Amino acid sequence: MERSAVIAIGGNALILDGQKGTIAEQFENATETARHIAALAADGWRVVVTHGNGPQVGFILLRSELISESSGIPRLSLDMSVADSQGGIGHILGNALLNELGQRGIVDQVACILTHVVVDPDDPAFGEPTKPIGPSYTADEAAAKRKREGWAMVEDSGRGYRRIVPSPHPLRIVEAEQIRTLVANGFVVIAAGGGGIPVVEMQPAGYRGVEAVIDKDLASALLASSLGIPLLVLSTGVERIAIHFRQPDQRFLDRLTVAEARRYLAEGEFPKGSMGPKVEAAIRFLEQGGSEVLITSPASLEQAFAGMSGTRIVADQALASVSSSVT
């Protein structure tokens, strides 16, 4: 698995600020992201692409809710909505990658794997839902949803009320071996979309979907660790991460250790609503034996892989080894 990477892209990378999220817009945005990933694959990198699904699963849930109210068609459960988004986004990303790779002489070497991720039914998250999903509601609508649907609702930064659901920690990727085989045979693989379809293991090799969502970056870290892939790439809206973000003394970070990352997290430099989950996923991946985490924007992928951009997070001993070799 040398020169291999798991590249996680956000669901928002397919729907940019100010866009409605039409399929045409998502295809256009996917093509731009695929161009950078295809360039890496053409350079000899083995790549697994993971993706978020926040906006898309919100659309799916809203459509399901509206249609069920008017027609009597049963609503989709949350695990089914995640599966639905994996298929749709997998088609969009897969088509974009097929086209971009094909232009580079790499023909029909993309596979999208419907991916299930095992969680613990006793995870505390099931008793303390925290992840907002779906559209915003007025206070009266939220009260009705609480009463009629039993939903947990939370006020979302002055933008109305949203449903919150459990976000348990991922434990195991069910399709890890299938993904490993495809990567070893030269395929660019799309997997673990939206953090994976959350399931609990009822018995050995027996699973049941659950109403939850899994953090995409944590699932990506677990997938990379499970495959023995040394590099985890967490793409975001900025080229590099910074401390004192958007303040007069803002400072971009080229490289930091796990210890430094932990300190900045404790100091509140990486909030939970933005960079915090990515840094936490990076720490988890490195503690599980990963070699390096790279945080950058999709447009900067090639430059970041060449060492000219992005923020690298490494294990404490790794940076110490580099320093020793230099001295």
Side-chain angles (χ1 to χ4, degrees):
M1 287 297 180
E2 292 301 319
R3 278 180 67 80
S4 59
V6 168
I7 301 178
I9 61 174
N12 285 320
L14 300 183
I15 302 176
L16 306 182
D17 288 343
Q19 293 185 333
K20 293 182 178 180
T22 67
I23 298 302
E25 288 172 339
Q26 293 189 62
F27 266 107
E28 182 178 352
N29 297 331
T31 296
E32 174 61 22
T33 296
R35 182 168 62 84
H36 302 290
I37 296 173
L40 296 170
D43 190 40
W45 282 88
R46 295 180 177 183
V47 177
V48 179
V49 180
T50 65
H51 61 80
N53 68 345
Q56 295 85 354
V57 85
F59 294 161
I60 292 166
L61 289 167
L62 182 56
R63 283 197 297 268
S64 177
E65 182 178 342
L66 294 174
I67 291 173
S68 66
E69 289 177 354
S70 62
S71 69
I73 296 174
R75 291 184 188 178
L76 291 179
S77 62
L78 190 48
D79 56 307
M80 280 298 301
S81 298
V82 173
D84 196 338
S85 73
Q86 280 192 7
I89 298 174
H91 164 54
I92 292 171
L93 276 175
N95 185 262
L97 284 166
L98 282 167
N99 292 342
E100 291 296 323
L101 289 166
Q103 293 176 22
R104 293 164 172 80
I106 305 172
V107 180
D108 296 346
Q109 289 291 294
V110 178
C112 179
I113 300 296
L114 199 69
T115 311
H116 301 82
V117 177
V118 177
V119 300
D120 185 348
D122 295 322
D123 191 303
F126 285 105
E128 300 176 6
T130 58
K131 180 69 173 177
I133 63 167
S136 296
Y137 299 92
T138 66
D140 289 342
E141 289 171 334
K145 293 294 183 184
R146 288 192 188 99
K147 182 177 180 179
R148 186 170 66 246
E149 310 291 348
W151 288 358
M153 307 291 290
V154 65
E155 201 279 328
D156 187 20
S157 305
R159 294 171 292 192
Y161 290 79
R162 296 180 70 194
R163 179 187 179 189
I164 52 174
V165 299
S167 184
H169 280 283
L171 300 179
R172 183 167 63 84
I173 309 292
V174 175
E175 290 82 8
E177 287 307 311
Q178 294 94 313
I179 296 167
R180 185 195 309 277
T181 299
L182 287 164
V183 173
N185 282 276
F187 285 85
V188 173
V189 181
I190 303 167
I197 303 164
V199 297
V200 295
E201 192 164 10
M202 306 303 294
Q203 57 189 17
Y207 308 99
R208 174 178 58 83
V210 291
E211 291 275 341
V213 294
I214 300 170
D215 181 83
K216 173 260 302 177
D217 293 320
L218 287 178
S220 300
L222 176 61
L223 178 59
S225 298
S226 301
L227 299 177
I229 288 179
L231 176 61
L232 172 64
V233 183
L234 303 176
S235 73
T236 184
V238 294
E239 184 179 330
R240 289 175 292 170
I241 63 177
I243 55 174
H244 312 307
F245 186 57
R246 291 180 177 171
Q247 299 178 26
D249 57 345
Q250 172 178 292
R251 179 164 64 89
F252 288 103
L253 303 174
D254 295 321
R255 190 178 179 95
L256 68 160
T257 65
V258 166
E260 291 169 331
R262 285 189 182 282
R263 187 176 80 246
Y264 289 136
L265 274 172
E267 294 171 353
E269 291 288 355
F270 307 133
K272 288 186 177 181
S274 58
M275 198 60 68
K278 295 188 184 304
V279 175
E280 290 174 358
I283 292 171
R284 182 178 291 263
F285 172 67
L286 294 167
E287 289 180 338
Q288 292 174 340
S291 298
E292 187 175 61
V293 176
L294 177 59
I295 299 179
T296 193
S297 65
S300 302
L301 280 172
E302 297 105 300
Q303 285 187 321
F305 270 63
M308 297 183 292
S309 182
T311 299
R312 283 174 165 74
I313 305 178
V314 298
D316 300 323
Q317 62 270 24
L319 192 58
S321 299
V322 171
S323 300
S324 298
S325 64
V326 171
T327 56

